[in-house]
Amino acid sequence: NIKNFCEIIDPSYVKNNFEKLIFSLESPFTSIRLFGQKKIYEKINQMKIKVALDGSGGDEILGGYQYNYLNFFIDKIKNNPKYIKTFVEKILLKKDNDKLVDFMMTLSYQFGSLKDCTPYIYLSNFKKDFLKKFLNEEFYFSETFPRKINNLKKSQLIDILYVNLPRSLKYLDKLSMNESIENRVPYLDAELAHYSFNLPNNFKIRADSTRYILKDVFKTNTNIIKKFVTNQKRAIVDPQSQWLKKELKEFILDEFLSLNFKKSDIFNQKGVIQNYELFLKNKKRTSFDIFQIFTTYKFQNIFTQNNINNFPLL
């Protein structure tokens, strides 16, 4: 009996609010869905609600992503080699050859893959001088973890300490504060998060079900919600890929083809455009790198001294 409210985002809203969003976040950002979050908080503010609850953290503390699932199996194989057969049947034989390569790359360097194990780093997007200055062997092994930690926990810690969680919480905090709203994340209650992270693997993933213990609670105690519980996490697909191929194509290309972008110290204009064209032709599976580059370039332009002094107060 909870009333639902729906807010619609269209390409015009994205274009008209792009610089405002970057200024609010004070950083580049990774997904077009941030515009949805921005508009949600605008709606909450209009309704004069001062505190909002958010579900962030549930996947991170209970291993809800595809690369967590992979590392869960690696732990099982280490403890009992008989699970190699199960791993081959449930993971390897169900995917095409391209995805197998993705899995191997993700297991060797999770920082460079999306939650579904799709790698998104293309060296051709960057200038050689930039790579030479900042990329070396130490870059890939700079993060250290406790020796006794298992693979699933290590995979979770990468998200908790370095990737998804810091990024998501920063976005949520800044967007909610921008609308004078206090945002709360119940899954990240300190005791609950610590307890959940330190559970044995089979309470996090069991019988092909990720976040097992959380789903089991809902299945057992909440009949209304039971029918919505699924074994594997189902991604809520935003229109980023579609809009970057159509409605926002010119918006993106205007920046990538500019003389100013060509002079960038970081990005290789030719490589970026080539990779964008591959994406437009459906020869590249993700728009993640394209969108990151675009927002980083816009961020750099906005936060130069000349621009920031003239930027309108929000």
Side-chain angles (χ1 to χ4, degrees):
N1 298 319
I2 295 175
K3 187 175 182 181
N4 185 54
F5 295 88
C6 181
E7 292 293 306
I8 304 298
I9 305 297
D10 59 23
S12 296
Y13 182 86
V14 172
K15 293 178 184 178
N16 294 336
N17 288 276
F18 216 99
E19 292 192 353
K20 289 181 181 179
L21 187 57
I22 289 177
F23 198 80
S24 297
L25 297 174
E26 299 178 298
S27 73
F29 57 100
T30 55
S31 173
I32 208 167
R33 67 182 60 194
L34 269 293
F35 290 96
Q37 290 182 330
K38 172 179 169 58
K39 197 160 188 181
I40 289 281
Y41 285 123
E42 289 173 354
K43 177 68 174 180
I44 294 173
N45 188 18
Q46 291 170 10
M47 297 170 68
K48 301 189 183 305
I49 296 173
K50 291 301 178 183
V51 179
L53 301 181
D54 186 272
S56 293
D59 286 302
E60 284 78 9
I61 63 174
L62 288 170
Y65 300 126
Q66 183 70 41
Y67 41 51
N68 300 144
Y69 189 61
L70 284 180
N71 281 280
F72 163 78
F73 260 104
I74 299 301
D75 284 333
K76 289 180 77 72
I77 291 169
K78 281 190 172 183
N79 293 326
N80 191 335
K82 76 174 186 180
Y83 285 106
I84 292 176
K85 183 175 182 295
T86 307
F87 180 73
V88 170
E89 291 175 347
K90 290 190 174 183
I91 303 292
L92 302 187
L93 294 182
K94 289 188 176 182
K95 304 294 181 180
D96 57 46
N97 290 332
D98 288 340
K99 202 63 181 174
L100 298 186
V101 174
D102 290 353
F103 287 162
M104 298 304 294
M105 292 178 67
T106 301
L107 286 171
S108 64
Y109 190 67
Q110 183 177 307
F111 289 88
S113 292
L114 301 177
K115 299 165 187 175
D116 66 353
C117 298
T118 302
Y120 65 87
I121 296 176
Y122 296 83
L123 294 183
S124 57
N125 283 328
F126 303 96
K127 287 190 172 173
K128 291 181 180 180
D129 288 343
F130 173 79
L131 294 174
K132 190 180 297 184
K133 184 176 180 179
F134 293 103
L135 198 65
N136 53 44
E137 289 299 315
E138 293 180 2
F139 175 85
Y140 291 101
F141 302 102
S142 58
E143 313 304 342
T144 57
F145 300 96
R147 289 184 179 181
K148 294 183 179 180
I149 199 169
N150 64 37
N151 287 280
L152 175 55
K153 281 187 175 180
K154 180 179 178 181
S155 178
Q156 290 177 258
L157 272 183
I158 290 173
D159 276 343
I160 291 170
L161 298 178
Y162 303 110
V163 186
N164 289 322
L165 202 54
R167 184 172 65 202
S168 296
L169 294 182
K170 179 188 73 173
Y171 294 158
L172 290 170
D173 198 33
K174 289 181 179 290
L175 289 176
S176 60
M177 286 194 299
N178 200 53
E179 297 295 332
S180 302
I181 294 165
E182 293 288 339
N183 192 66
R184 298 284 180 260
V185 280
Y187 282 125
L188 297 178
D189 170 85
E191 291 185 14
L192 176 62
H194 185 270
Y195 175 81
S196 300
F197 176 78
N198 286 293
L199 285 169
N201 284 7
N202 68 325
F203 283 98
K204 299 173 185 175
I205 300 174
R206 186 185 300 184
D208 299 332
S209 179
T210 55
R211 297 180 300 167
Y212 168 77
I213 193 170
L214 177 64
K215 295 172 182 176
D216 190 58
V217 168
F218 282 116
K219 285 182 178 179
T220 304
N221 300 319
T222 318
N223 290 328
I224 297 174
I225 296 177
K226 182 178 179 179
K227 63 182 179 181
F228 297 106
V229 177
T230 59
N231 286 338
Q232 292 291 323
K233 181 179 177 65
R234 293 180 181 176
I236 301 172
V237 181
D238 58 49
Q240 179 169 302
S241 289
Q242 175 188 331
W243 287 1
L244 261 61
K245 289 177 181 178
K246 295 180 181 179
E247 291 89 345
L248 298 178
K249 178 181 174 182
E250 296 303 319
F251 182 64
I252 302 290
L253 282 176
D254 281 348
E255 301 290 355
F256 285 170
L257 293 172
S258 68
L259 181 61
N260 198 31
F261 187 79
K262 186 177 182 179
K263 294 178 180 178
S264 169
D265 294 332
I266 300 175
F267 303 117
N268 171 24
Q269 185 183 51
K270 184 177 179 180
V272 170
I273 293 173
Q274 285 178 343
N275 283 319
Y276 189 29
E277 288 174 347
L278 288 174
F279 168 72
L280 294 174
K281 295 175 183 177
N282 298 317
K283 294 182 179 180
K284 188 167 161 292
R285 294 196 303 275
T286 179
S287 62
F288 190 81
D289 61 315
I290 298 296
F291 197 76
Q292 271 196 318
I293 290 168
F294 183 75
T295 63
T296 300
Y297 175 69
K298 295 286 283 185
F299 165 78
Q300 287 178 310
N301 284 345
I302 290 171
F303 279 84
T304 58
Q305 191 63 40
N306 288 336
N307 284 338
I308 198 169
N309 287 338
N310 297 316
F311 202 92
L313 293 176
L314 301 179

